[in-house]
C-alpha cells in the first residue's frame, strides 16, 4: 500500500499533533474540522511546536516552511477525504460522534483508503461495523504530545486484515514512531493499565490519604514517573479520563474500572484540567498551561 495523501479529522490537541508528524515526514495532509477557528488554532499550535524544534536545533527554518506547506485545511468532510489514502479520525472520545464520522468517511473516501481512529478506548470492531470496509478499519492510538511521544498503539479490530495491519505498522515506523500491535479490547493496553492507576490516585485523594502534590511526589520520586498521576490526568483531560473509564467499566462490567466519585464531580463542575484552566492543579494563567506543555517539548 502506498500512502501519499493523509486526512486528519479533528484539529484539537491530538489531531493537530498527528497532522504535524505526517507533514513533517513528507506526507501531504488535509486537516479537517467543522470550525475554521479550530483549524486556525490547530495550525498555530503546529507552528509554535515547529518553532520550539527550531530553537532546540532539531529542525531548520526550511524544514518548518516545507512542513507547513504540506498542510491544507478544510471544513467540508466530503472534500477533505476525497483523495485520501489514509484517514485518521481524532475527534472527541465519544462513540456516537465517532460512528457518525466513520459513516461519512466510508461514504466519501476512495475505496482503497484505510480508515483509522485515534480512539484511546472505543471498540475498533464497533466502529468498523458501521462501514462497508471493516477489513480496512484500524486503530492508530498516538500518545500526547504526538510530535514527541514515540509510541503508537496499532489496534486491529475483529475484521481488520493482515495487510492493513502490516501497512499501518510500516507507516508508523516511517513517522519515526514505535508501533505496537494490540487486540481490540476496552482500553487496549495503554489505558487499561494507565487509567486504573490514575483512578486509584484520585481515590487516594478522595479518601484523604494524602494531598495532590504529595501523591504526585510519591509517584515521581518513588516510582520514577516523569509526571505524577494527578498532573497527568489534568494534562490528558479529566473529561477524557472519565470517558475512558466509563467505556472500560461498561465493557468489562468490573467494579475496579468504576470512576471515582471525585472525578465524576470535577467533570460535572467543568474542571477538566489544563484545557479548562483548573483540575487538580490551577492553570488559570496561560503561562502555567504553556509550562506544563513545554515539559514534553
Amino acid at each position: 500500500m502506498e500512502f501519499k495523501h493523509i486526512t486528519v479529522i479533528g484539529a484539537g490537541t491530538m489531531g493537530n499533533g498527528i497532522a504535524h508528524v505526517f507533514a513533517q515526514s513528507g506526507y501531504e495532509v488535509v486537516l479537517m474540522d467543522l470550525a475554521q477557528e479550530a483549524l486556525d488554532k490547530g495550525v498555530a499550535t503546529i507552528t509554535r511546536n515547529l518553532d520550539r524544534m527550531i530553537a532546540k536545533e532539531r529542525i531548520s527554518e526550511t524544514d518548518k516552511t516545507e512542513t507547513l506547506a504540506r498542510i491544507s485545511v478544510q471544513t467540508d468532510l466530503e472534500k477533505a477525504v476525497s483523495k485520501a489514502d489514509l484517514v485518521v479520525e481524532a475527534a472527541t472520545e465519544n462513540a456516537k460522534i465517532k460512528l457518525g464520522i466513520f459513516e461519512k468517511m466510508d461514504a466519501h473516501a476512495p475505496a482503497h483508503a484505510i480508515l483509522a481512529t485515534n480512539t484511546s478506548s472505543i471498540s475498533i470492531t464497533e466502529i468498523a461495523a458501521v462501514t462497508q470496509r471493516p477489513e480496512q478499519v484500524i486503530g492508530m492510538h498516538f500518545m500526547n504530545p504526538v510530535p514527541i511521544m514515540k509510541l503508537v498503539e496499532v489496534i486491529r479490530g475483529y475484521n481488520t486484515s493482515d495487510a492493513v495491519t502490516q501497512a499501518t505498522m510500516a507507516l508508523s515506523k516511517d513517522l519515526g514512531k514505535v508501533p505496537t500491535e494490540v487486540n481490540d479490547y476496552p482500553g487496549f493496553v495503554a489505558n487499561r493499565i494507565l487509567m486504573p492507576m490514575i483512578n486509584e490516585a484520585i481515590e487516594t485523594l478522595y479518601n484523604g490519604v494524602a494531598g495532590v502534590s504529595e501523591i504526585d511526589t510519591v509517584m515521581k520520586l518513588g516510582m520514577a514517573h516523569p509526571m505524577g498521576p494527578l498532573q497527568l490526568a489534568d494534562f490528558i483531560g479529566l473529561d477524557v479520563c472519565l470517558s475512558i473509564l466509563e467505556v472500560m467499566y461498561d465493557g468489562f462490567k468490573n467494579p475496579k474500572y468504576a470512576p471515582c466519585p471525585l472525578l465524576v464531580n470535577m467533570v460535572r463542575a467543568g474542571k477538566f484540567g489544563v484545557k479548562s484552566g483548573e483540575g487538580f492543579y490551577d492553570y488559570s494563567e496561560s503561562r502555567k498551561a504553556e509550562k506544563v506543555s513545554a515539559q514534553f517539548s
Side-chain angles (χ1 to χ4, degrees):
M1 297 181 185
E2 186 176 6
F3 299 97
K4 291 183 178 178
H5 301 284
I6 311 296
T7 297
V8 180
I9 307 295
T13 300
M14 297 304 296
N16 70 61
I18 294 167
H20 175 158
V21 297
F22 272 108
Q24 193 175 335
S25 298
Y27 296 92
E28 296 296 323
V29 179
V30 177
L31 180 60
M32 183 270 163
D33 202 291
L34 292 175
Q36 184 62 47
E37 182 181 359
L39 290 169
D40 293 342
K41 185 177 179 181
V43 173
T45 298
I46 294 170
T47 304
R48 276 197 309 274
N49 288 335
L50 289 168
D51 284 337
R52 285 175 181 155
M53 296 176 79
I54 291 171
K56 295 185 178 184
E57 299 183 345
R58 294 176 182 171
I59 63 171
S60 67
E61 283 283 356
T62 300
D63 293 329
K64 171 189 170 181
T65 300
E66 292 177 349
T67 296
L68 291 173
R70 295 188 192 103
I71 301 173
S72 60
V73 297
Q74 180 59 257
T75 56
D76 185 293
L77 188 144
E78 180 177 349
K79 292 178 181 177
V81 304
S82 62
K83 296 180 180 179
D85 301 308
L86 169 73
V87 184
V88 183
E89 170 274 318
T92 186
E93 193 72 355
N94 178 291
K96 184 176 180 181
I97 291 173
K98 289 186 185 294
L99 294 178
I101 291 172
F102 265 79
E103 287 180 334
K104 293 177 182 176
M105 285 162 50
D106 183 47
H108 300 295
H112 72 274
I114 293 174
L115 307 183
T117 175
N118 183 58
T119 182
S120 56
S121 60
I122 298 168
S123 169
I124 308 303
T125 303
E126 179 183 1
I127 291 172
V130 302
T131 76
Q132 300 301 310
R133 60 180 99 186
E135 71 285 351
Q136 292 167 234
V137 176
I138 197 163
M140 289 186 78
H141 180 207
F142 290 84
M143 303 294 123
N144 185 24
V146 181
I148 304 301
M149 301 293 277
K150 289 292 187 182
L151 177 67
V152 178
E153 270 190 308
V154 176
I155 308 109
R156 56 186 304 162
Y158 187 84
N159 291 303
T160 306
S161 72
D162 290 340
V164 165
T165 302
Q166 291 163 9
T168 305
M169 295 282 284
L171 178 62
S172 300
K173 291 177 182 177
D174 192 54
L175 299 177
K177 303 300 184 185
V178 179
T180 302
E181 182 182 337
V182 304
N183 291 317
D184 185 22
Y185 292 96
F188 315 131
V189 172
N191 282 321
R192 184 167 180 173
I193 295 169
L194 175 62
M195 285 302 152
M197 184 193 73
I198 287 176
N199 199 43
E200 192 63 29
I202 300 171
E203 285 279 0
T204 302
L205 176 66
Y206 180 59
N207 293 331
V209 178
V212 172
S213 62
E214 288 78 10
I215 291 168
D216 278 353
T217 298
V218 167
M219 296 306 292
K220 286 190 289 185
L221 300 185
M223 312 304 166
H225 290 196
M227 180 180 283
L230 299 176
Q231 188 180 13
L232 178 57
D234 276 354
F235 186 75
I236 293 169
L238 303 189
D239 54 334
V240 175
C241 292
L242 177 60
S243 177
I244 294 169
L245 284 164
E246 288 175 337
V247 167
M248 293 170 65
Y249 181 58
D250 183 62
F252 290 115
K253 301 295 189 295
N254 189 323
K256 74 178 181 179
Y257 299 116
C260 176
L262 176 58
L263 174 62
V264 174
N265 275 342
M266 290 180 71
V267 172
R268 285 175 178 167
K271 296 182 179 182
F272 302 148
V274 174
K275 61 186 173 184
S276 71
E278 185 177 1
F280 293 106
Y281 293 87
D282 180 11
Y283 309 93
S284 54
E285 298 175 23
S286 60
R287 291 179 183 175
K288 291 181 181 179
E290 289 175 0
K291 196 173 290 185
V292 171
S293 297
Q295 292 181 24
F296 293 86
S297 298

